[in-house]
Amino acid sequence: MTDVVVIPRATISRLPVYFRVLMELSHMEVSLVSSDELAARSGVSSSQLRKDLSYFGEFGIRGAGYDVGFLLQKIREILGIHREWRLVIAGAGKLGTALARYSGFAQHGLEVAALFDIDPGKQGKMTGKIPVLPMEDLTGFVQEHDIQIGVITVPAQAAQGVADLMVRAGLKGIWNFAPVRIEVPDDVIVQYEDLVVGLLTLSHHLSRRMR
Amino acid sequence: MTDVVVIPRATISRLPVYFRVLMELSHMEVSLVSSDELAARSGVSSSQLRKDLSYFGEFGIRGAGYDVGFLLQKIREILGIHREWRLVIAGAGKLGTALARYSGFAQHGLEVAALFDIDPGKQGKMTGKIPVLPMEDLTGFVQEHDIQIGVITVPAQAAQGVADLMVRAGLKGIWNFAPVRIEVPDDVIVQYEDLVVGLLTLSHHLSRRMR
DNA sequence: TCCGGATTGTGAATTATTTCACATTCATTT
DNA sequence: AAATGAATGTGAAATAATTCACAATCCGGA
Ligand SMILES: NC(=O)c1ccc[n+]([C@@H]2O[C@H](COP(=O)([O-])OP(=O)(O)OC[C@H]3O[C@@H](n4cnc5c(N)ncnc54)[C@H](O)[C@@H]3O)[C@@H](O)[C@H]2O)c1
Ligand SMILES: NC(=O)c1ccc[n+]([C@@H]2O[C@H](COP(=O)([O-])OP(=O)(O)OC[C@H]3O[C@@H](n4cnc5c(N)ncnc54)[C@H](O)[C@@H]3O)[C@@H](O)[C@H]2O)c1
């Protein structure tokens, strides 16, 4: 029985924050940072930060701190963004086009290759440099352009159908913004992004506090 | 020492999911549902569901299940959406306008009253039924229209300034999409929405699985 | 080369969350 | 009115995540 190290979900979700802070430090020409400093800038405790990193290895220098460039590279590897990921977005509506045009993804090695939509009125147009294509072309496009991730920004009732299509096309990761659970085979990973949760969490806390 | 019941964060974030499933059941004219059924449709265990609800009271009927309409109303109250919340959005860019035009919020008693932007080229226009106003008008608008929540969809470097303005205007809740922490007084609640986290979580899992 | 100061890495303790399992309660039937 | 069956509500147990606290280690200076 070799014991598998299981990494807390919450640890993974903090890594992008550390990454961003390290990028800032790097731009500020800071080359060494302590866990105290990095943690404070990330909004967590320093023991939290050190424990998080310890799941993946030893990246610091005792008595000194962390080499910004080195840690940046390590986190890149952990998050899998040392390689490029290509995405397609299904649903060229309000949210889909906003995501497609977002410049922040490129900084993380994420490239939106195309948008797909069922509406002929949207097909053929360009969203910035990104083409909007008919849904029928999705499978071929994914295979030709070596796409790994599909983003779902269609209405809820269309989400399962789109997910099925993405699975058949061979996509192994789905980022789903539609407010429904979708069924996929075990070898496909679904990441849900439910924006209403954040707003209702705020609403809950506000109404508690105002009571 | 009266012991305060503390409600897990995760419980709050599941309530919107239960709410949505109950809405569906309600539309399907289902009037009674068991914790097994409701939990399965929400993607959680039934004991999880019952424990979550138990933090707020006893809403079910032993031996029978939950009255859909009654539970819906209770969750509405817990989430604070039995009353209307009015929001303003600062940053009428890609994401801000997508949010402003999203019809899903209205179903939860959330009304986007106006967008604000620093760019004179965007001011004066309408996004659907929602006006885009100059930043200078924010304070007056918030006070005149009894707004409670501010949404930040401006670039990261402008976020703190916008937050300061929102705090001065009297907003008590801020929903922040800019990828930076912001400093606010204790009586203001900030909910962070970091979309990159979701995508990088997916990237991490994908690259682990492919290794 | 050794010493002092600093900061990491990590077991252990604590705290938080989820799951278990069953006593309790309710609706229905006889 | 009592018996039956079903599903909730909830302490207790099990897991999971965070914080503590300090031994281990490294850097730089003497
Ligand atoms: N806009 C937001 O701010 C927001 C916020 C939270 C959640 N969401 C969710 O994101 C999704 C998209 O929202 P939106 O506001 O962009 O909607 P939208 O109506 O603007 O866009 C949806 C697009 O999907 C296309 N479409 C419909 N069925 C399709 C299908 N079967 N295959 C391919 N394309 C199809 C439509 O033609 C349209 O272009 C929805 O599920 C919504 O609930 C949106
Ligand atoms: N678009 C996305 O999909 C996406 C995804 C994740 C995060 N975000 C974050 O959301 C924010 C907005 O992104 P976007 O893509 O909509 O950008 P955008 O450039 O399309 O829009 C930003 C808007 O803010 C306005 N603005 C700039 N400074 C301002 C100020 N001081 N006061 C008021 N308005 C100001 C600009 O005029 C512009 O209209 C950014 O912080 C971005 O990192 C966006």
Side-chain angles (χ1 to χ4, degrees):
Chain A
M1 274 283 155
T2 43
D3 45 33
V4 178
V5 183
V6 354
I7 295 143
R9 306 183 144 275
T11 290
I12 303 296
S13 71
R14 282 186 294 264
L15 292 174
V17 179
Y18 305 153
F19 181 79
R20 207 140 47 201
V21 173
L22 286 164
M23 288 283 269
E24 279 165 27
L25 291 170
S26 177
H27 284 132
M28 291 159 64
E29 319 260 318
V30 175
S31 62
L32 198 70
V33 67
S34 70
S35 62
D36 267 354
E37 169 84 11
L38 179 51
R41 287 177 180 268
S42 304
V44 303
S45 70
S46 68
S47 57
Q48 176 83 267
L49 168 67
R50 294 199 302 276
K51 177 67 83 179
D52 282 344
L53 296 178
S54 78
Y55 290 113
F56 305 99
E58 301 191 10
F59 306 135
I61 306 152
R62 293 180 192 219
Y66 297 90
D67 181 283
V68 172
F70 179 76
L71 186 54
L72 217 30
Q73 184 52 24
K74 285 299 171 188
I75 293 184
R76 238 186 228 109
E77 286 165 19
I78 295 165
L79 288 176
I81 51 178
H82 53 307
R83 80 205 271 325
E84 271 256 330
W85 294 104
R86 273 180 292 283
L87 342 178
V88 291
I89 300 177
K94 298 180 280 286
L95 188 56
T97 51
L99 292 172
R101 305 181 72 133
Y102 181 48
S103 57
F105 295 142
Q107 296 169 4
H108 301 280
L110 300 158
E111 183 200 329
V112 178
L115 284 152
F116 290 86
D117 205 289
I118 205 176
D119 178 357
K122 304 202 170 181
Q123 296 161 5
K125 299 186 177 171
M126 298 291 279
T127 302
K129 290 183 178 162
I130 304 161
V132 181
L133 306 174
M135 290 301 284
E136 299 80 62
D137 296 359
L138 192 142
T139 303
F141 188 94
V142 161
Q143 281 152 16
E144 273 167 43
H145 293 82
D146 189 26
I147 312 291
Q148 299 86 19
I149 296 173
V151 184
I152 297 182
T153 51
V154 300
Q157 68 273 15
Q160 183 63 60
V162 169
D164 293 345
L165 184 62
M166 287 180 167
V167 167
R168 281 199 301 278
L171 294 174
K172 292 300 177 203
I174 293 179
W175 195 22
N176 179 31
F177 283 82
V180 280
R181 323 217 95 240
I182 53 180
E183 298 288 333
V184 297
D186 280 351
D187 66 333
V188 176
I189 302 169
V190 180
Q191 177 77 31
Y192 291 89
E193 197 77 55
D194 191 340
L195 297 183
V196 169
V197 168
L199 188 46
L200 294 193
T201 299
L202 188 55
S203 156
H204 165 78
H205 286 120
L206 275 179
S207 72
R208 284 224 134 192
R209 196 166 279 195
M210 287 183 176
R211 190 155 47 83
Chain B
M1 276 275 160
T2 43
D3 45 34
V4 179
V5 184
V6 353
I7 295 143
R9 305 182 143 276
T11 290
I12 303 297
S13 71
R14 282 187 293 264
L15 292 175
V17 180
Y18 305 152
F19 181 79
R20 206 141 47 201
V21 173
L22 286 165
M23 288 283 270
E24 279 164 25
L25 291 170
S26 177
H27 284 133
M28 292 158 64
E29 319 261 319
V30 174
S31 62
L32 197 70
V33 67
S34 70
S35 62
D36 268 353
E37 168 84 10
L38 180 50
R41 287 176 180 268
S42 304
V44 303
S45 70
S46 67
S47 57
Q48 176 83 266
L49 168 68
R50 293 199 301 277
K51 178 66 83 179
D52 282 344
L53 295 179
S54 78
Y55 290 113
F56 305 100
E58 302 191 10
F59 307 135
I61 305 152
R62 293 180 192 219
Y66 297 91
D67 181 282
V68 171
F70 179 75
L71 185 54
L72 216 31
Q73 184 51 25
K74 284 299 171 189
I75 293 184
R76 234 184 232 114
E77 285 166 20
I78 295 164
L79 288 176
I81 51 179
H82 54 306
R83 76 203 274 327
E84 272 255 331
W85 295 103
R86 272 180 292 282
L87 340 178
V88 291
I89 300 177
K94 297 182 281 286
L95 188 56
T97 51
L99 292 172
R101 303 180 72 131
Y102 181 49
S103 56
F105 294 141
Q107 296 170 3
H108 301 279
L110 300 157
E111 183 200 329
V112 177
L115 284 152
F116 290 86
D117 205 289
I118 205 175
D119 179 357
K122 304 202 169 182
Q123 295 162 5
K125 298 186 176 170
M126 297 293 277
T127 302
K129 289 182 179 164
I130 304 162
V132 181
L133 305 174
M135 290 301 283
E136 300 80 61
D137 296 359
L138 192 143
T139 304
F141 189 94
V142 161
Q143 281 153 16
E144 272 167 43
H145 293 82
D146 189 27
I147 312 289
Q148 299 86 18
I149 297 173
V151 184
I152 297 182
T153 51
V154 299
Q157 68 273 15
Q160 184 63 60
V162 168
D164 293 344
L165 183 62
M166 286 179 167
V167 168
R168 281 201 300 278
L171 294 175
K172 293 300 178 204
I174 293 179
W175 195 23
N176 179 31
F177 283 81
V180 281
R181 321 218 97 241
I182 53 180
E183 298 286 335
V184 297
D186 281 352
D187 65 333
V188 176
I189 302 169
V190 179
Q191 177 77 30
Y192 292 89
E193 198 76 57
D194 191 341
L195 297 183
V196 169
V197 168
L199 189 46
L200 294 192
T201 299
L202 187 55
S203 156
H204 164 79
H205 286 120
L206 274 179
S207 72
R208 284 224 134 193
R209 195 165 280 195
M210 288 185 177
R211 190 157 44 83

